[in-house]
């Protein structure tokens, strides 16, 4: 029978938080601040971890939710004095990269897709189809901007200009976040903030990541072979998976699949 040695040094623990999927407010199984808050709070607080590792595989999504999650990660890291290391899997693009930039260090695979520091708004126009079917769109508002970019009405130049101004403001917020987090690591590259993407070692060359590396080997090299990994991730109940939310989740799944497909994944 082994004797317990109260003076024996305990193996360090690293909390591993999985950030998988689209970033969207309120979606079941999707990444948002409300869903991740209890996971992140527990990851940083339980057992005084040596570090928190973020496993990121996200094509992006809501800029506001990205900012909220990123800010929470930074606040907890500073309050608990715990470093954060991000590990990119298939993709950390757009909002996914916003989350990665919240870490103190970023690792990626040689084939990981990284970057896409830009903002996009996509929609559709069906006014011609409706007119051909003899359907008239009727909209009544109080406020001339209340029906901006109605997909069932002809597009207005002033609406497009207003939307582009909004997108530019959000884009500048994104740029400021990356610059504040990556600082002098960023290369002087004209394409860095154009929405361009980089793969593996190219991402390292432009300063979007620090090194090529995978989670387990990197953590063992840094904290020893006996490092313990405590994993956290979003879990869905049986009711959410097989109950009344099936249709909603199916639509969300199609949308997420489309977002990943933008990067050839």
């Amino acid at each position: 029978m082994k004797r317990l040695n109260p003076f024996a040094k305990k193996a360090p623990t690293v909390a591993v938080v999985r950030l998988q999927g689209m970033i969207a407010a309120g979606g079941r199984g999707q990444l948002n601040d409300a869903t991740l808050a209890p996971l992140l709070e527990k990851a940083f607080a339980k057992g005084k971890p040596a570090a928190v590792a973020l496993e990121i595989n996200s094509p992006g999504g809501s800029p506001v939710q990205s900012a909220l999650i990123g800010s929470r990660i930074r606040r907890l890291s500073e309050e608990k004095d715990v470093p954060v290391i991000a590990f990119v899997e298939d993709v950390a693009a757009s909002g996914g990269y916003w989350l990665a930039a919240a870490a103190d260090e970023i690792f990626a695979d040689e084939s990981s897709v990284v970057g896409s520091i830009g903002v996009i708004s996509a929609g559709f126009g069906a006014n011609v189809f409706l007119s051909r079917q003899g359907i008239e769109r009727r909209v009544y508002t109080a406020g001339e901007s209340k029906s901006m970019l109605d997909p069932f009405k002809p597009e207005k130049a002033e609406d497009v200009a207003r939307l582009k101004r909004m997108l530019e403001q959000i884009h500048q917020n994104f740029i400021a976040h990356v610059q504040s987090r990556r600082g002098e690591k960023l290369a002087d590259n004209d394409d860095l903030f154009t929405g361009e993407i980089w793969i593996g070692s190219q991402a390292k060359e432009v300063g979007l990541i620090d090194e090529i590396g995978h989670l387990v080997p990197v953590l063992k090299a840094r904290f020893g072979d006996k490092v313990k990994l405590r994993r956290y991730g979003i879990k869905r109940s049986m009711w959410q998976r097989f109950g009344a939310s099936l249709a909603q989740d199916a639509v969300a799944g199609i949308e997420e699949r489309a977002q990943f497909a933008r990067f050839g994944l």
Side-chain angles (χ1 to χ4, degrees):
M1 180 177 179
K2 294 183 178 179
R3 291 186 178 182
L4 296 177
N5 183 358
F7 302 104
K9 188 176 181 180
K10 292 183 179 180
T13 297
V14 174
V16 180
V17 182
R18 183 157 187 82
L19 303 176
Q20 162 80 32
M22 278 186 62
I23 304 168
R28 291 182 175 87
Q30 295 179 325
L31 304 178
N32 55 69
D33 186 56
T35 301
L36 289 172
L39 298 180
L40 290 170
E41 298 282 346
K42 187 180 295 185
F44 278 92
K46 187 175 181 180
K48 182 56 177 176
V52 169
L54 307 176
E55 278 183 324
I56 300 176
N57 196 15
S58 174
S62 164
V64 174
Q65 292 301 318
S66 300
L68 290 172
I69 297 167
S71 294
R72 185 178 295 277
I73 291 169
R74 290 313 316 153
R75 175 177 60 79
L76 289 169
S77 174
E78 292 165 8
E79 287 180 357
K80 306 295 184 181
D81 192 25
V82 175
V84 181
I85 310 170
F87 293 89
V88 180
E89 294 186 347
D90 297 275
V91 58
S94 195
Y97 185 72
W98 188 303
L99 301 185
D104 299 297
E105 296 176 83
I106 305 175
F107 289 81
D109 182 77
E110 280 283 8
S111 298
S112 296
V113 177
V114 179
S116 189
I117 302 171
V119 184
I120 185 173
S121 175
F124 63 90
N127 58 295
V128 176
F129 172 78
L130 292 182
S131 63
R132 287 175 178 173
Q133 304 304 312
I135 302 172
E136 181 184 357
R137 172 71 163 167
R138 296 174 180 174
V139 179
Y140 309 97
T141 68
E144 60 182 17
S145 299
K146 195 62 179 176
S147 184
M148 185 180 76
L149 293 174
D150 187 325
F152 300 106
K153 296 177 68 177
E155 190 175 68
K156 297 180 181 179
E158 57 268 30
D159 288 349
V160 175
R162 188 182 298 113
L163 176 62
K164 287 184 176 180
R165 288 196 298 270
M166 293 167 54
L167 296 179
E168 181 60 28
Q169 291 172 0
I170 297 171
H171 190 200
Q172 290 304 316
N173 294 339
F174 196 171
I175 293 172
H177 170 67
V178 174
Q179 289 177 330
S180 69
R181 295 298 307 148
R182 300 298 296 171
E184 295 181 354
K185 295 178 180 179
L186 296 174
D188 184 10
N189 189 303
D190 292 338
D191 292 329
L192 200 56
F193 302 124
T194 64
E196 181 63 88
I197 57 175
W198 282 267
I199 309 298
S201 57
Q202 291 180 333
K204 180 182 176 182
E205 289 176 7
V206 297
L208 293 180
I209 68 171
D210 294 285
E211 295 291 344
I212 300 296
H214 298 162
L215 187 143
V216 172
V218 169
L219 295 183
K220 281 188 175 183
R222 184 161 303 186
F223 300 106
D225 288 337
K226 294 184 179 180
V227 61
K228 296 181 180 179
L229 305 184
R230 184 179 293 123
R231 294 186 175 273
Y232 300 87
I234 297 174
K235 296 180 180 179
R236 294 191 301 165
S237 67
M238 292 290 287
W239 172 252
Q240 287 176 329
R241 283 185 287 172
F242 302 109
S245 65
L246 272 177
Q248 180 180 346
D249 288 348
V251 173
I254 293 172
E255 184 179 359
E256 181 173 305
R257 184 66 258 164
Q259 291 294 324
F260 273 105
R262 291 174 51 221
F263 303 101
L265 301 172

